[in-house]
Amino acid sequence: MNPLISVIIPVYNVQKYIADCIGSILAQSYTELEIILVDDGSTDSTPQILDEFAAKDSRIRVIHKPNGGVSSARNTGIAEKNGEFFCFVDADDTVHPNYILNLYNIIKEHDADIAMSAYLFAWDDGRKQRTRNKEYPDNHIFTDTGRDALGKMLYSKIYAPSSNSKLFRSSKISVRYPAFSIGEDMLASVDYFMQADKVVMSNEPHYYYMQHEESAIHSVNPEK
């Protein structure tokens, strides 16, 4: 039997996007999932949408909490997870149907502590754009020690500092996020790369970062 994987989704006022996000998780070819939706004090119709999804699938657990920011929401999900592995997905992003299966396969094959996926920037009109590691084929696999991966991440080579598009081994990696609104991913990534003996990454772009005005974290130049 495959191990349980916890998918932690911090959620705040994303009524326009959350159904697509959850739908992409429910459509995963890897089915042994615990889906933790952390509602961080949403004031739109998001809480009702989350509860409706939870009523239809027993793998979904909704946690409603007062607003505390994305770090607080992630930390809440971490405290509640039961999976042998865990990952984060932003509530306005989506993933390929084989996203989790691919990450699980490479973390198991390489006996790694962190597995990563390449990603695409995506827009509401259907456009998608790869911005990193374009010189490598999609089937390329990168492997490094945690310290070497950290060095490459700090020099913007190969690895991205975001918490998403990564699968962590729970017995090895302990992640807590600082209470910052900007830069918390970078600080956390230094911590978890230092804990990892081995890091592996698939260049298959299976994570889709949505680009839209409502999300400050996505207001970046996709050419960078």
Side-chain angles (χ1 to χ4, degrees), residues 1-6 28-34 59 100:
M1 188 174 183
N2 287 329
L4 182 69
I5 294 178
S6 299
Q28 290 297 294
S29 54
Y30 190 100
T31 59
E32 294 297 320
L33 302 176
E34 170 189 56
R59 297 175 298 172
I100 293 176

Side-chain angles (χ1 to χ4, degrees), residues 87-123:
C87 63
F88 301 100
V89 176
D90 274 353
D92 48 0
D93 294 335
T94 60
V95 293
H96 186 278
N98 291 328
Y99 170 67
I100 293 176
L101 178 62
N102 189 38
L103 288 177
Y104 172 67
N105 283 340
I106 63 172
I107 206 171
K108 180 177 65 172
E109 177 184 353
H110 295 272
D111 192 26
D113 300 314
I114 302 173
M116 290 176 271
S117 169
Y119 60 85
L120 298 175
F121 285 112
W123 287 263

Side-chain angles (χ1 to χ4, degrees), residues 100-164:
I100 293 176
L101 178 62
N102 189 38
L103 288 177
Y104 172 67
N105 283 340
I106 63 172
I107 206 171
K108 180 177 65 172
E109 177 184 353
H110 295 272
D111 192 26
D113 300 314
I114 302 173
M116 290 176 271
S117 169
Y119 60 85
L120 298 175
F121 285 112
W123 287 263
D124 289 340
D125 61 9
R127 288 181 298 131
K128 290 184 173 70
Q129 180 180 349
R130 179 192 282 272
T131 63
R132 184 183 287 268
N133 302 327
K134 293 181 283 188
E135 66 273 28
Y136 296 93
D138 285 356
N139 63 357
H140 187 80
I141 301 293
F142 304 92
T143 59
D144 275 293
T145 66
R147 289 177 179 270
D148 286 344
L150 173 60
K152 292 177 180 179
M153 183 272 291
L154 292 174
Y155 284 97
S156 298
K157 295 179 179 180
I158 310 296
Y159 307 113
S162 62
S163 295
N164 304 312

Side-chain angles (χ1 to χ4, degrees), residues 183-199:
E184 76 285 349
D185 272 354
M186 178 66 77
L187 290 175
S189 65
V190 171
D191 189 22
Y192 60 64
F193 277 133
M194 289 292 289
Q195 296 175 48
D197 290 327
K198 181 182 283 188
V199 171

